[in-house]
Amino acid sequence: MWSIRERTLKMIMEASRDALPNEFGALLRAEHQIIYEIALVPGSINGPVHVIFRTYTMPLDFSYVGSVHSHPSGNTHPSDADLHMFSNTGPVHIIVGYPYNMNNFSAYTRNGDPLKLNII
């Protein structure tokens, strides 16, 4: 069962609001299936309908468990591009949607299946 710290989710929502009108994106860091931090990827490119992670700029870190990104449209369903990225970057992925409140997010597995994510 995956969980996320409430303060981490609040930070994600704030960063997503700050990125408007562009998407926000980061990697998730966890221990014992508890997401406790986000990690910004150097050189990421954020646009109105995409985030491009330059994964070659990241240090090797086994605490990364997936990704988070925002959808300014408010839709928290993954696109085909999202699903492709999920399959390459870890077991848990979060999409947050405008207006970036604590109720407008969805979590998915690397295969794009919905995932229950507890807020602690």
PDB file of all heavy atoms in Angstrom, residues 3-5 7-8 16 26 29 33 40 42 56-57 63-64 69 72 76-77 82-83 94 97 104 107:
ATOM      1  N   SER A   3       1.621   5.329   0.277  1.00  0.00           N
ATOM      2  CA  SER A   3       1.140   6.504   0.995  1.00  0.00           C
ATOM      3  C   SER A   3       2.002   7.703   0.609  1.00  0.00           C
ATOM      4  O   SER A   3       3.115   7.543   0.117  1.00  0.00           O
ATOM      5  CB  SER A   3       1.248   6.305   2.518  1.00  0.00           C
ATOM      6  OG  SER A   3       0.473   5.214   2.935  1.00  0.00           O
ATOM      7  N   ILE A   4       1.462   8.897   0.855  1.00  0.00           N
ATOM      8  CA  ILE A   4       2.208  10.130   0.636  1.00  0.00           C
ATOM      9  C   ILE A   4       2.002  11.031   1.851  1.00  0.00           C
ATOM     10  O   ILE A   4       0.893  11.096   2.398  1.00  0.00           O
ATOM     11  CB  ILE A   4       1.780  10.839  -0.672  1.00  0.00           C
ATOM     12  CG1 ILE A   4       2.672  12.054  -0.966  1.00  0.00           C
ATOM     13  CG2 ILE A   4       0.311  11.209  -0.641  1.00  0.00           C
ATOM     14  CD1 ILE A   4       2.506  12.623  -2.369  1.00  0.00           C
ATOM     15  N   ARG A   5       3.045  11.681   2.257  1.00  0.00           N
ATOM     16  CA  ARG A   5       2.926  12.632   3.368  1.00  0.00           C
ATOM     17  C   ARG A   5       2.096  13.826   2.895  1.00  0.00           C
ATOM     18  O   ARG A   5       2.259  14.312   1.772  1.00  0.00           O
ATOM     19  CB  ARG A   5       4.291  13.082   3.843  1.00  0.00           C
ATOM     20  CG  ARG A   5       5.094  11.963   4.455  1.00  0.00           C
ATOM     21  CD  ARG A   5       6.230  12.519   5.299  1.00  0.00           C
ATOM     22  NE  ARG A   5       7.084  11.459   5.796  1.00  0.00           N
ATOM     23  CZ  ARG A   5       6.829  10.707   6.857  1.00  0.00           C
ATOM     24  NH1 ARG A   5       5.727  10.899   7.542  1.00  0.00           N
ATOM     25  NH2 ARG A   5       7.676   9.766   7.237  1.00  0.00           N
ATOM     26  N   ARG A   7       2.224  16.934   3.720  1.00  0.00           N
ATOM     27  CA  ARG A   7       3.031  18.111   3.398  1.00  0.00           C
ATOM     28  C   ARG A   7       3.683  17.991   2.021  1.00  0.00           C
ATOM     29  O   ARG A   7       3.860  18.984   1.326  1.00  0.00           O
ATOM     30  CB  ARG A   7       4.071  18.390   4.479  1.00  0.00           C
ATOM     31  CG  ARG A   7       5.125  17.331   4.619  1.00  0.00           C
ATOM     32  CD  ARG A   7       6.091  17.663   5.781  1.00  0.00           C
ATOM     33  NE  ARG A   7       6.863  16.516   6.156  1.00  0.00           N
ATOM     34  CZ  ARG A   7       8.007  16.159   5.599  1.00  0.00           C
ATOM     35  NH1 ARG A   7       8.508  16.875   4.614  1.00  0.00           N
ATOM     36  NH2 ARG A   7       8.656  15.086   6.003  1.00  0.00           N
ATOM     37  N   THR A   8       4.007  16.770   1.614  1.00  0.00           N
ATOM     38  CA  THR A   8       4.591  16.552   0.293  1.00  0.00           C
ATOM     39  C   THR A   8       3.548  16.804  -0.789  1.00  0.00           C
ATOM     40  O   THR A   8       3.836  17.467  -1.793  1.00  0.00           O
ATOM     41  CB  THR A   8       5.170  15.130   0.179  1.00  0.00           C
ATOM     42  OG1 THR A   8       6.107  14.928   1.236  1.00  0.00           O
ATOM     43  CG2 THR A   8       5.831  14.903  -1.168  1.00  0.00           C
ATOM     44  N   SER A  16       2.674  23.151  -8.583  1.00  0.00           N
ATOM     45  CA  SER A  16       1.850  23.078  -9.788  1.00  0.00           C
ATOM     46  C   SER A  16       1.156  24.405 -10.055  1.00  0.00           C
ATOM     47  O   SER A  16       1.097  24.861 -11.202  1.00  0.00           O
ATOM     48  CB  SER A  16       0.814  21.956  -9.653  1.00  0.00           C
ATOM     49  OG  SER A  16       1.461  20.707  -9.545  1.00  0.00           O
ATOM     50  N   ALA A  26       8.209  16.373 -11.481  1.00  0.00           N
ATOM     51  CA  ALA A  26       9.313  16.012 -10.595  1.00  0.00           C
ATOM     52  C   ALA A  26       9.301  14.501 -10.401  1.00  0.00           C
ATOM     53  O   ALA A  26       8.355  13.818 -10.803  1.00  0.00           O
ATOM     54  CB  ALA A  26       9.176  16.717  -9.247  1.00  0.00           C
ATOM     55  N   ARG A  29      10.360  10.551  -4.266  1.00  0.00           N
ATOM     56  CA  ARG A  29      11.319   9.827  -3.424  1.00  0.00           C
ATOM     57  C   ARG A  29      10.524   9.204  -2.276  1.00  0.00           C
ATOM     58  O   ARG A  29       9.675   9.856  -1.677  1.00  0.00           O
ATOM     59  CB  ARG A  29      12.367  10.798  -2.897  1.00  0.00           C
ATOM     60  CG  ARG A  29      13.545  10.128  -2.270  1.00  0.00           C
ATOM     61  CD  ARG A  29      14.612  11.140  -1.901  1.00  0.00           C
ATOM     62  NE  ARG A  29      15.542  11.218  -3.022  1.00  0.00           N
ATOM     63  CZ  ARG A  29      16.117  12.335  -3.436  1.00  0.00           C
ATOM     64  NH1 ARG A  29      15.863  13.486  -2.865  1.00  0.00           N
ATOM     65  NH2 ARG A  29      16.970  12.314  -4.430  1.00  0.00           N
ATOM     66  N   GLN A  33       7.538   2.519   1.062  1.00  0.00           N
ATOM     67  CA  GLN A  33       6.310   2.844   0.331  1.00  0.00           C
ATOM     68  C   GLN A  33       5.603   4.097   0.859  1.00  0.00           C
ATOM     69  O   GLN A  33       4.404   4.262   0.687  1.00  0.00           O
ATOM     70  CB  GLN A  33       5.352   1.658   0.290  1.00  0.00           C
ATOM     71  CG  GLN A  33       5.892   0.511  -0.565  1.00  0.00           C
ATOM     72  CD  GLN A  33       4.855  -0.544  -0.820  1.00  0.00           C
ATOM     73  OE1 GLN A  33       4.180  -1.009   0.094  1.00  0.00           O
ATOM     74  NE2 GLN A  33       4.733  -0.922  -2.071  1.00  0.00           N
ATOM     75  N   LEU A  40      13.504  17.582  -8.130  1.00  0.00           N
ATOM     76  CA  LEU A  40      13.481  18.239  -9.429  1.00  0.00           C
ATOM     77  C   LEU A  40      14.606  17.691 -10.288  1.00  0.00           C
ATOM     78  O   LEU A  40      15.713  17.448  -9.795  1.00  0.00           O
ATOM     79  CB  LEU A  40      13.622  19.747  -9.263  1.00  0.00           C
ATOM     80  CG  LEU A  40      12.550  20.415  -8.403  1.00  0.00           C
ATOM     81  CD1 LEU A  40      12.845  21.895  -8.261  1.00  0.00           C
ATOM     82  CD2 LEU A  40      11.164  20.182  -8.967  1.00  0.00           C
ATOM     83  N   PRO A  42      17.296  18.290 -13.063  1.00  0.00           N
ATOM     84  CA  PRO A  42      17.970  19.405 -13.738  1.00  0.00           C
ATOM     85  C   PRO A  42      17.723  19.373 -15.251  1.00  0.00           C
ATOM     86  O   PRO A  42      17.752  18.316 -15.867  1.00  0.00           O
ATOM     87  CB  PRO A  42      19.448  19.167 -13.430  1.00  0.00           C
ATOM     88  CG  PRO A  42      19.454  18.319 -12.201  1.00  0.00           C
ATOM     89  CD  PRO A  42      18.223  17.465 -12.295  1.00  0.00           C
ATOM     90  N   TYR A  56      19.179  11.772 -18.008  1.00  0.00           N
ATOM     91  CA  TYR A  56      20.625  11.591 -18.025  1.00  0.00           C
ATOM     92  C   TYR A  56      21.334  12.593 -17.114  1.00  0.00           C
ATOM     93  O   TYR A  56      22.510  12.425 -16.805  1.00  0.00           O
ATOM     94  CB  TYR A  56      21.181  11.664 -19.447  1.00  0.00           C
ATOM     95  CG  TYR A  56      20.961  12.993 -20.132  1.00  0.00           C
ATOM     96  CD1 TYR A  56      21.850  14.053 -19.956  1.00  0.00           C
ATOM     97  CD2 TYR A  56      19.855  13.195 -20.949  1.00  0.00           C
ATOM     98  CE1 TYR A  56      21.650  15.277 -20.571  1.00  0.00           C
ATOM     99  CE2 TYR A  56      19.651  14.410 -21.567  1.00  0.00           C
ATOM    100  CZ  TYR A  56      20.541  15.447 -21.380  1.00  0.00           C
ATOM    101  OH  TYR A  56      20.330  16.654 -21.985  1.00  0.00           O
ATOM    102  N   THR A  57      20.627  13.632 -16.653  1.00  0.00           N
ATOM    103  CA  THR A  57      21.239  14.615 -15.762  1.00  0.00           C
ATOM    104  C   THR A  57      21.086  14.242 -14.289  1.00  0.00           C
ATOM    105  O   THR A  57      21.612  14.928 -13.427  1.00  0.00           O
ATOM    106  CB  THR A  57      20.618  16.014 -15.968  1.00  0.00           C
ATOM    107  OG1 THR A  57      19.240  15.973 -15.591  1.00  0.00           O
ATOM    108  CG2 THR A  57      20.767  16.483 -17.406  1.00  0.00           C
ATOM    109  N   SER A  63      16.228   5.739  -4.275  1.00  0.00           N
ATOM    110  CA  SER A  63      15.042   6.140  -3.523  1.00  0.00           C
ATOM    111  C   SER A  63      13.964   6.736  -4.440  1.00  0.00           C
ATOM    112  O   SER A  63      12.846   6.970  -4.004  1.00  0.00           O
ATOM    113  CB  SER A  63      15.397   7.132  -2.411  1.00  0.00           C
ATOM    114  OG  SER A  63      15.870   8.354  -2.951  1.00  0.00           O
ATOM    115  N   TYR A  64      14.281   6.969  -5.727  1.00  0.00           N
ATOM    116  CA  TYR A  64      13.270   7.433  -6.679  1.00  0.00           C
ATOM    117  C   TYR A  64      12.318   6.278  -6.977  1.00  0.00           C
ATOM    118  O   TYR A  64      12.756   5.183  -7.325  1.00  0.00           O
ATOM    119  CB  TYR A  64      13.893   7.911  -7.992  1.00  0.00           C
ATOM    120  CG  TYR A  64      14.778   9.128  -7.874  1.00  0.00           C
ATOM    121  CD1 TYR A  64      15.952   9.204  -8.593  1.00  0.00           C
ATOM    122  CD2 TYR A  64      14.443  10.199  -7.075  1.00  0.00           C
ATOM    123  CE1 TYR A  64      16.781  10.317  -8.513  1.00  0.00           C
ATOM    124  CE2 TYR A  64      15.256  11.313  -6.980  1.00  0.00           C
ATOM    125  CZ  TYR A  64      16.422  11.364  -7.700  1.00  0.00           C
ATOM    126  OH  TYR A  64      17.224  12.462  -7.616  1.00  0.00           O
ATOM    127  N   HIS A  69       3.393  14.810 -12.043  1.00  0.00           N
ATOM    128  CA  HIS A  69       3.287  15.969 -12.917  1.00  0.00           C
ATOM    129  C   HIS A  69       1.860  16.495 -12.880  1.00  0.00           C
ATOM    130  O   HIS A  69       0.946  15.812 -12.420  1.00  0.00           O
ATOM    131  CB  HIS A  69       3.772  15.674 -14.343  1.00  0.00           C
ATOM    132  CG  HIS A  69       2.865  14.838 -15.161  1.00  0.00           C
ATOM    133  ND1 HIS A  69       2.817  13.466 -15.073  1.00  0.00           N
ATOM    134  CD2 HIS A  69       1.965  15.185 -16.117  1.00  0.00           C
ATOM    135  CE1 HIS A  69       1.931  12.992 -15.931  1.00  0.00           C
ATOM    136  NE2 HIS A  69       1.397  14.016 -16.578  1.00  0.00           N
ATOM    137  N   PRO A  72      -2.671  21.129 -16.310  1.00  0.00           N
ATOM    138  CA  PRO A  72      -3.419  22.381 -16.158  1.00  0.00           C
ATOM    139  C   PRO A  72      -4.878  22.289 -16.617  1.00  0.00           C
ATOM    140  O   PRO A  72      -5.711  23.084 -16.191  1.00  0.00           O
ATOM    141  CB  PRO A  72      -2.632  23.374 -17.019  1.00  0.00           C
ATOM    142  CG  PRO A  72      -1.241  22.829 -17.026  1.00  0.00           C
ATOM    143  CD  PRO A  72      -1.418  21.336 -17.049  1.00  0.00           C
ATOM    144  N   THR A  76      -7.020  14.342 -14.689  1.00  0.00           N
ATOM    145  CA  THR A  76      -5.949  13.585 -14.034  1.00  0.00           C
ATOM    146  C   THR A  76      -5.750  12.190 -14.628  1.00  0.00           C
ATOM    147  O   THR A  76      -5.133  11.336 -14.015  1.00  0.00           O
ATOM    148  CB  THR A  76      -6.190  13.470 -12.512  1.00  0.00           C
ATOM    149  OG1 THR A  76      -7.402  12.757 -12.272  1.00  0.00           O
ATOM    150  CG2 THR A  76      -6.238  14.846 -11.861  1.00  0.00           C
ATOM    151  N   HIS A  77      -6.255  11.982 -15.835  1.00  0.00           N
ATOM    152  CA  HIS A  77      -6.042  10.705 -16.524  1.00  0.00           C
ATOM    153  C   HIS A  77      -4.763  10.781 -17.352  1.00  0.00           C
ATOM    154  O   HIS A  77      -4.466  11.814 -17.953  1.00  0.00           O
ATOM    155  CB  HIS A  77      -7.235  10.363 -17.415  1.00  0.00           C
ATOM    156  CG  HIS A  77      -8.493  10.163 -16.641  1.00  0.00           C
ATOM    157  ND1 HIS A  77      -8.728   9.039 -15.885  1.00  0.00           N
ATOM    158  CD2 HIS A  77      -9.568  10.969 -16.482  1.00  0.00           C
ATOM    159  CE1 HIS A  77      -9.904   9.147 -15.299  1.00  0.00           C
ATOM    160  NE2 HIS A  77     -10.432  10.318 -15.641  1.00  0.00           N
ATOM    161  N   ASP A  82       2.207   9.934 -21.154  1.00  0.00           N
ATOM    162  CA  ASP A  82       2.353   9.678 -19.721  1.00  0.00           C
ATOM    163  C   ASP A  82       2.578   8.194 -19.470  1.00  0.00           C
ATOM    164  O   ASP A  82       3.465   7.806 -18.696  1.00  0.00           O
ATOM    165  CB  ASP A  82       1.107  10.121 -18.949  1.00  0.00           C
ATOM    166  CG  ASP A  82       0.878  11.617 -18.947  1.00  0.00           C
ATOM    167  OD1 ASP A  82       1.852  12.380 -19.170  1.00  0.00           O
ATOM    168  OD2 ASP A  82      -0.277  12.029 -18.732  1.00  0.00           O
ATOM    169  N   LEU A  83       1.784   7.362 -20.115  1.00  0.00           N
ATOM    170  CA  LEU A  83       1.914   5.912 -19.925  1.00  0.00           C
ATOM    171  C   LEU A  83       3.287   5.415 -20.342  1.00  0.00           C
ATOM    172  O   LEU A  83       3.866   4.540 -19.685  1.00  0.00           O
ATOM    173  CB  LEU A  83       0.812   5.176 -20.687  1.00  0.00           C
ATOM    174  CG  LEU A  83      -0.610   5.415 -20.175  1.00  0.00           C
ATOM    175  CD1 LEU A  83      -1.626   4.789 -21.125  1.00  0.00           C
ATOM    176  CD2 LEU A  83      -0.775   4.874 -18.771  1.00  0.00           C
ATOM    177  N   ILE A  94       1.929  10.013 -10.033  1.00  0.00           N
ATOM    178  CA  ILE A  94       0.827  10.872  -9.613  1.00  0.00           C
ATOM    179  C   ILE A  94       0.609  11.952 -10.672  1.00  0.00           C
ATOM    180  O   ILE A  94       1.564  12.540 -11.174  1.00  0.00           O
ATOM    181  CB  ILE A  94       1.136  11.552  -8.265  1.00  0.00           C
ATOM    182  CG1 ILE A  94       1.403  10.502  -7.173  1.00  0.00           C
ATOM    183  CG2 ILE A  94      -0.015  12.477  -7.851  1.00  0.00           C
ATOM    184  CD1 ILE A  94       1.961  11.095  -5.886  1.00  0.00           C
ATOM    185  N   GLY A  97      -4.368  17.714 -10.953  1.00  0.00           N
ATOM    186  CA  GLY A  97      -5.094  18.546 -11.896  1.00  0.00           C
ATOM    187  C   GLY A  97      -5.519  19.873 -11.296  1.00  0.00           C
ATOM    188  O   GLY A  97      -5.733  19.983 -10.085  1.00  0.00           O
ATOM    189  N   ASN A 104      -7.877  16.772  -6.060  1.00  0.00           N
ATOM    190  CA  ASN A 104      -7.806  16.607  -7.510  1.00  0.00           C
ATOM    191  C   ASN A 104      -6.464  16.018  -7.927  1.00  0.00           C
ATOM    192  O   ASN A 104      -5.610  16.708  -8.469  1.00  0.00           O
ATOM    193  CB  ASN A 104      -8.078  17.931  -8.225  1.00  0.00           C
ATOM    194  CG  ASN A 104      -8.480  17.706  -9.664  1.00  0.00           C
ATOM    195  OD1 ASN A 104      -8.897  16.611 -10.029  1.00  0.00           O
ATOM    196  ND2 ASN A 104      -8.344  18.719 -10.486  1.00  0.00           N
ATOM    197  N   ALA A 107      -3.418   8.536  -8.777  1.00  0.00           N
ATOM    198  CA  ALA A 107      -2.161   7.794  -8.765  1.00  0.00           C
ATOM    199  C   ALA A 107      -2.313   6.554  -9.640  1.00  0.00           C
ATOM    200  O   ALA A 107      -3.413   5.986  -9.754  1.00  0.00           O
ATOM    201  CB  ALA A 107      -1.782   7.393  -7.339  1.00  0.00           C
TER     202      ALA A 107
END
